[in-house]
Amino acid sequence: MDLKLDPSRDDLPLMANTSHILVKHYVLDLNVDFESQIIEGNIVLFFESGNRFEKQSGSTKETLQSESSEACRFRMPEPCHSPGTDTRTFSPKTGYNDFAICGKGEKDTSGKDGNHDNPEQASGISSSTYCCDTGNHRNEEFLLVLDCCDLSVLKVEEVDVAAVPGVEKFTKSPKLTVVSEELRNQIVHELVTLPADRWREQLDYYAGCSQAPGCGELLFDTDTWSLQIRKTGAQTATDFPHAIRIWYSTKPQGRSVTWTSDQSGRPCVYTIGSPINNRALFPCQEPPVAMSTWQATVRAAASFVVLMSGENSAKPTQLQEGCTSWHYYVTMPMPASTFTIAVGSWTEMKPEICLSKGLAAERSLSPSETDSRYVGICGHMEYPCRFQNPSATTQEIIPHRVFAPLCLQDACQETLLHLIPPCLSAAHSVLGTHPFSRLDILIVPANFPSLGMASPHIIFLSQSVLTGTSHLCGTRLCHEIAHAWFGLAIGARDWTEEWLSEGFATHLEDVFWAAAQQLAPHEAQEQQELKACLRWLRLQDEVRNSPQEMQLLRPNKEKTGHVSDSGSSVIKHGLNPEKVFMQVHYLKGYFLLRFLAQRLGDETYFAFLRKFVHTFHGQLILSQDFLQLLLENIPEEKRLELSVENIFRDWLESSGIPQPLQRERQAGAECGLARQVSAEVEKWIRVNRRPRKRKRREAEEVFEKLLPDQLVLLLEHLLEQKTLTARTLHSLEKTYHLPQQDAEVRHRWCELIVKHKYTKAYRDVERFLQEDQAMGVYLYGELMLGEDARQQQVARRCFELTKEQMDRSSAEVVAEMLL
């Protein structure tokens, strides 16, 4: 049934038939076993099939179209055993708190699922036909399709929710004498539609139902991208069981889960949800429209800390045999792709003394007047919303914790801890109510493939942000905090519109960081102009070195947001490993928002932005939702021929540099900070031209102290010089203490080292490639392009040292460079 996908070219399929039935809640019950590098246990899914999902079995044509008469064959799972696992672990009668094992077993390298004998080599499906007839299949039985990859599915069963004490309240019968499928589904319906103010009771019943016994195994099959489940006789989504339990285990090489070592050499695991999202962590509905809540109990050895996307600051519960259990939950529905987990020997970092170090700490910022102006009935589905909570709307600094390996304690104390309160306060001063009630921040291992990632209630930060001054750490922290609003509380309905998340976060990081530093307006403007100059250079480089079709911010154009009848769709270029490293959505999105803010004026723009957040939080949007509301809320005289159609044409649906941006950059004068850099560049050019022996009367150049972004710009300009002598490079290194600067500066320094074959500093390049893997990928290309034997030896040696731990996409790209 499957055809081989080319991972450098094809789109990522979203297989789940969300148009027929939706997951409303997940309950995960998992064990983390570092010895076998497996997460195993079960997940219970609670479904709802509303009016738009009913009686559609005959119309479901596009979820998994059969490629042959052998496709979609179903069989009851034969008795099977997870490698080395006590089968009692998977007993349907096992209680919610009865799991005491931490998991012992051999590393699963078999490459086979436990439920059927389809060969694993059937490794993909045609990118043009990610589909299957989920309707008229075997007497018109309904087929549930979940997104699933790299999982060993062991058993699927219906859950007897009617067996849970107290569920009578969810039925019309005081006593449950005759239990039918219809009655069980009625119980689930009443449970998933409980009012928001009964969320605690709802979570308790979800937990109780998740422990209920099974009442019949379901037929299932898997292929590379999906898990397909059916029940004999269930002809529609309404007839299908609305609570099912899936017993499964992850695979050591699963693409959603990274098993590695932390900076202290101790084992850890984290999920990144990229590039295939969470389908290799648990079977789920991946399309963003499948907004759900979740709760999870995770067990690990007592020496480990479990962090997760959850509203509660979980504490460990001691179990027998040296294991602990951690429980988290969320009540705000979000896409399953936003779920994140990290397990390791993390230590909570606490500030020794609350020093502001020049930044605002516990500042008293009155909430924007617009906060109260827009409070009303929210437009999202019902949940306990912080925007409706008066105490939450005035909470500038939400509770937060910082975790890292113990060896990074000093770096966290020096760089990170004092930045969090002012950055959170700054975000609140700009956008108002924090969408989430708390925040954990984790310093992830060196192989983490980016500088940061935001998930509900938790932010991952690279160790690279801890070096140098606080500038890089502060700006990246502000970027990830911005994602709480743009990317999480407000999500893209079509994931190809990444700019709705990354463009906003990039634009807002400057605004938040200026507020956190309490800069005067002219200082803030100068720093933001300097940042725009750097991003302009980066965008030009990005456009020169990337395929045109991957430069579009709205690649699906008029079909953006469209899905098949079943709800399945694809993410364009989602399987291309190079896409992970592209910044076009960040940069073009940033420049579009900057363009709009300049046209409207900051006061008008940010007043609108707060209104937009209040209007759309908790919802999924398309580009036109933002642009239409913007144009409706600005005076006619400020529109200046702006229209949704023009913005689509100029900014979102064309490759290359947008014409309005080209005109602006060509007409714009260089900002003061950039002019200062230009003067310093001229000094270095003069130094580089001088002979080794200077005349006695020749004056030494006096260099100005530069900000980190100015240093980056200086090195960018010096990279344009054809030759720089070893003497000049040595002087540069000593003048600015380049090996001790932040990772952005050191990255450019390494580029200079490579370009000019400055062998004395090759140690700096080697250190960067090993410790700053989030940024070092393209340095490998620079080392190989020069065809210098010693530089190529450096590249190959560093790759050999890091490739086993390196992020998979990064390793693929680097391996191709080294060929």
Side-chain angles (χ1 to χ4, degrees):
M1 139 175 214
D2 292 345
L3 300 176
K4 183 75 174 176
L5 282 175
D6 177 357
S8 67
R9 181 190 51 133
D10 287 293
D11 306 329
L12 175 68
L14 302 176
M15 304 291 289
N17 51 339
T18 55
S19 293
H20 305 143
I21 191 167
L22 282 176
V23 178
K24 304 300 288 185
H25 190 76
Y26 296 94
V27 180
L28 296 97
D29 197 20
L30 303 172
N31 298 291
V32 179
D33 180 9
F34 282 96
E35 190 174 325
S36 61
Q37 295 191 347
I38 285 174
I39 299 174
E40 61 187 1
N42 70 78
I43 182 171
V44 177
L45 289 69
F46 295 86
F47 297 97
E48 175 73 340
S49 57
N51 291 334
R52 76 186 187 93
F53 307 120
E54 293 179 6
K55 309 297 181 186
Q56 293 188 19
S57 66
S59 65
T60 320
K61 301 292 183 186
E62 295 185 304
T63 304
L64 256 154
Q65 186 175 0
S66 173
E67 293 290 341
S68 72
S69 59
E70 294 297 304
C72 294
R73 291 180 302 170
F74 286 80
R75 54 187 66 78
M76 289 296 292
E78 300 188 10
C80 55
H81 303 276
S82 180
T85 302
D86 187 337
T87 54
R88 289 172 298 175
T89 306
F90 299 99
S91 167
K93 297 182 180 178
T94 304
Y96 200 69
N97 294 316
D98 290 345
F99 283 88
I101 69 161
C102 290
K104 301 288 181 185
E106 299 174 3
K107 194 167 180 176
D108 179 8
T109 56
S110 64
K112 290 188 177 181
D113 288 344
N115 64 300
H116 60 77
D117 55 5
N118 281 0
E120 200 58 334
Q121 319 39 323
S123 58
I125 29 185
S126 166
S127 60
S128 62
T129 57
Y130 295 123
C131 28
C132 164
D133 185 353
T134 61
N136 299 310
H137 186 342
R138 292 221 188 164
N139 302 320
E140 297 190 348
E141 287 173 344
F142 174 76
L143 181 66
L144 169 68
V145 180
L146 299 174
D147 293 295
C148 174
C149 181
D150 300 334
L151 295 178
S152 294
V153 179
L154 306 174
K155 182 169 70 173
V156 182
E157 62 184 355
E158 182 177 357
V159 177
D160 187 7
V161 295
V164 177
V167 295
E168 300 84 19
K169 67 170 70 176
F170 298 131
T171 70
K172 297 174 183 176
S173 308
K175 265 191 166 184
L176 300 181
T177 51
V178 178
V179 177
S180 63
E181 188 73 69
E182 185 178 359
L183 180 64
R184 292 191 194 98
N185 287 354
Q186 179 191 339
I187 291 170
V188 174
H189 171 75
E190 295 297 328
L191 176 56
V192 302
T193 56
L194 278 178
D197 60 1
R198 295 174 65 183
W199 64 270
R200 289 187 183 276
E201 177 188 9
Q202 186 181 46
L203 286 175
D204 288 342
Y205 273 103
Y206 278 138
C209 289
S210 73
Q211 300 172 51
C215 56
E217 294 193 26
L218 301 176
L219 305 170
F220 73 95
D221 201 6
T222 64
D223 60 26
T224 302
W225 295 113
S226 70
L227 167 64
Q228 306 125 33
I229 304 168
R230 69 179 181 89
K231 179 179 180 178
T232 303
Q235 297 184 5
T236 69
T238 306
D239 304 329
F240 190 80
H242 281 28
I244 66 171
R245 182 185 291 116
I246 302 171
W247 299 92
Y248 76 97
S249 64
T250 63
K251 296 182 178 180
Q253 301 304 317
R255 282 166 278 180
S256 301
V257 185
T258 299
W259 298 90
T260 186
S261 300
D262 67 17
Q263 291 84 346
S264 299
R266 304 191 67 175
C268 62
V269 61
Y270 63 84
T271 61
I272 191 168
S274 178
I276 64 164
N277 299 317
N278 276 325
R279 66 186 71 189
L281 176 62
F282 57 91
C284 56
Q285 291 183 330
E286 285 281 21
V289 295
M291 307 265 278
S292 58
T293 52
W294 58 75
Q295 62 198 98
T297 296
V298 178
R299 284 161 297 279
S303 59
F304 292 100
V305 172
V306 177
L307 303 176
M308 195 184 302
S309 305
E311 292 169 22
N312 57 314
S313 298
K315 301 295 181 185
T317 300
Q318 190 66 42
L319 303 175
Q320 57 182 349
E321 298 182 11
C323 290
T324 54
S325 173
W326 302 70
H327 182 71
Y328 289 87
Y329 64 84
V330 299
T331 60
M332 174 183 174
M334 283 171 288
S337 60
T338 64
F339 179 96
T340 300
I341 184 172
V343 185
S345 300
W346 325 122
T347 300
E348 184 174 357
M349 304 292 170
K350 296 183 178 179
E352 295 173 352
I353 305 174
C354 291
L355 294 176
S356 66
K357 295 194 178 182
L359 294 177
E362 301 281 340
R363 293 182 295 146
S364 178
L365 289 173
S366 59
S368 166
E369 292 177 4
T370 54
D371 283 353
S372 57
R373 185 185 309 164
Y374 300 125
V375 167
I377 297 174
C378 295
H380 54 69
M381 66 183 79
E382 189 183 14
Y383 64 82
C385 179
R386 285 175 55 80
F387 286 78
Q388 295 296 312
N389 182 340
S391 62
T393 60
T394 58
Q395 187 180 27
E396 302 165 31
I397 303 171
I398 55 175
H400 52 274
R401 307 181 297 181
V402 175
F403 291 87
L406 187 58
C407 64
L408 294 179
Q409 181 171 0
D410 290 345
C412 288
Q413 292 281 354
E414 180 65 26
T415 307
L416 174 61
L417 291 176
H418 69 279
L419 295 176
I420 301 169
C423 290
L424 288 171
S425 277
H428 181 271
S429 72
V430 175
L431 294 180
T433 308
H434 288 280
F436 302 103
S437 58
R438 69 171 200 96
L439 176 64
D440 283 340
I441 298 173
L442 173 66
I443 304 299
V444 282
N447 66 345
F448 189 71
S450 72
L451 288 180
M453 183 183 80
S455 298
H457 314 283
I458 186 169
I459 286 172
F460 290 173
L461 286 180
S462 166
Q463 65 177 26
S464 296
V465 305
L466 298 179
T467 56
T469 65
S470 62
H471 175 76
L472 179 60
C473 188
T475 55
R476 195 66 205 195
L477 181 60
C478 286
H479 182 101
E480 303 307 335
I481 288 172
H483 276 312
W485 287 268
F486 293 96
L488 296 174
I490 301 173
R493 206 172 88 208
D494 186 319
W495 281 335
T496 61
E497 293 197 307
E498 293 174 58
W499 81 273
L500 289 170
S501 173
E502 298 301 350
F504 276 92
T506 304
H507 188 232
L508 286 167
E509 79 177 55
D510 297 350
V511 180
F512 290 179
W513 183 231
Q517 297 174 92
Q518 294 184 298
L519 297 180
H522 73 279
E523 290 180 295
Q525 183 177 358
E526 277 287 300
Q527 289 197 12
Q528 289 169 19
E529 288 292 337
L530 177 63
K531 203 76 174 181
C533 180
L534 285 170
R535 290 178 179 138
W536 168 246
L537 294 174
R538 202 169 303 162
L539 179 59
Q540 289 177 300
D541 186 61
E542 182 99 354
V543 167
R544 281 194 296 267
N545 295 293
S546 62
Q548 285 194 352
E549 65 270 17
M550 296 180 71
Q551 297 173 18
L552 307 182
L553 301 194
R554 195 170 178 259
N556 290 332
K557 298 187 178 179
E558 69 278 359
K559 294 184 179 179
T560 301
H562 290 197
V563 297
S564 70
D565 288 346
S566 70
S568 64
S569 61
V570 298
I571 304 174
K572 289 184 74 68
H573 313 299
L575 292 175
N576 189 329
E578 291 188 17
K579 188 174 186 295
V580 178
F581 307 103
M582 289 190 62
Q583 296 187 7
V584 67
H585 291 86
Y586 295 72
L587 298 171
K588 288 176 75 171
Y590 155 80
F591 277 113
L592 169 56
L593 296 172
R594 189 171 180 271
F595 166 79
L596 293 173
Q598 289 175 332
R599 282 289 191 96
L600 307 179
D602 281 352
E603 186 176 349
T604 300
Y605 176 76
F606 286 106
F608 160 74
L609 209 56
R610 287 186 287 271
K611 180 175 181 179
F612 177 75
V613 165
H614 277 272
T615 303
F616 282 103
H617 70 271
Q619 301 178 64
L620 301 171
I621 64 167
L622 298 173
S623 293
Q624 53 262 41
D625 297 316
F626 170 74
L627 296 172
Q628 285 168 356
L629 189 65
L630 173 71
L631 296 176
E632 289 168 9
N633 281 270
I634 60 175
E636 183 68 37
E637 66 271 14
K638 289 196 172 184
R639 293 187 192 174
L640 302 175
E641 301 181 0
L642 288 178
S643 69
V644 173
E645 293 75 18
N646 289 346
I647 294 172
F648 276 179
R649 182 195 65 217
D650 294 341
W651 291 89
L652 304 184
E653 295 180 355
S654 59
S655 59
I657 306 289
Q659 287 298 321
L661 177 58
Q662 288 191 25
R663 290 194 294 268
E664 177 218 314
R665 299 309 300 181
Q666 289 165 1
E670 199 174 41
C671 70
L673 293 176
R675 286 197 300 272
Q676 187 180 10
V677 170
S678 296
E680 298 303 295
V681 171
E682 290 302 317
K683 293 177 187 177
W684 283 109
I685 292 174
R686 288 198 296 269
V687 167
N688 190 58
R689 288 173 179 166
R690 285 176 182 167
R692 182 176 296 272
K693 292 185 178 181
R694 298 195 312 272
K695 295 178 181 179
R696 188 171 297 177
R697 295 180 182 176
E698 199 170 33
E700 290 278 352
E701 294 284 2
V702 178
F703 297 102
E704 300 290 334
K705 186 175 181 180
L706 300 179
L707 297 170
D709 281 339
Q710 287 181 298
L711 267 179
V712 172
L713 184 58
L714 174 82
L715 298 178
E716 291 268 11
H717 286 320
L718 291 178
L719 276 165
E720 297 170 3
Q721 296 300 306
K722 188 173 182 180
T723 58
L724 290 178
T725 66
R727 177 170 44 84
T728 301
L729 292 167
H730 177 74
S731 184
L732 262 174
E733 179 181 0
K734 294 299 182 185
T735 300
Y736 300 117
H737 310 287
L738 292 176
Q740 286 77 50
Q741 295 291 342
D742 70 36
E744 288 276 12
V745 176
R746 288 186 289 111
H747 184 263
R748 271 65 174 195
W749 169 231
C750 288
E751 287 185 275
L752 274 176
I753 294 169
V754 172
K755 177 175 180 177
H756 300 291
K757 298 181 174 59
Y758 184 41
T759 57
K760 290 182 179 179
Y762 279 2
R763 65 188 182 282
D764 292 343
V765 177
E766 294 183 12
R767 173 191 159 205
F768 194 91
L769 291 176
Q770 294 173 61
E771 297 181 8
D772 299 281
Q773 294 181 35
M775 304 175 66
V777 168
Y778 286 118
L779 267 183
Y780 282 100
E782 298 296 323
L783 287 165
M784 298 303 293
L785 280 175
E787 297 185 354
D788 178 86
R790 186 169 175 184
Q791 288 191 354
Q792 293 184 348
Q793 184 182 18
V794 168
R796 292 193 172 95
R797 182 167 63 248
C798 290
F799 186 58
E800 282 300 314
L801 290 171
T802 57
K803 68 179 181 182
E804 295 303 319
Q805 298 284 334
M806 190 178 285
D807 166 74
R808 179 177 298 190
S809 293
S810 303
E812 288 177 4
V813 171
V814 173
E816 190 171 330
M817 291 176 179
L818 300 186
L819 287 176

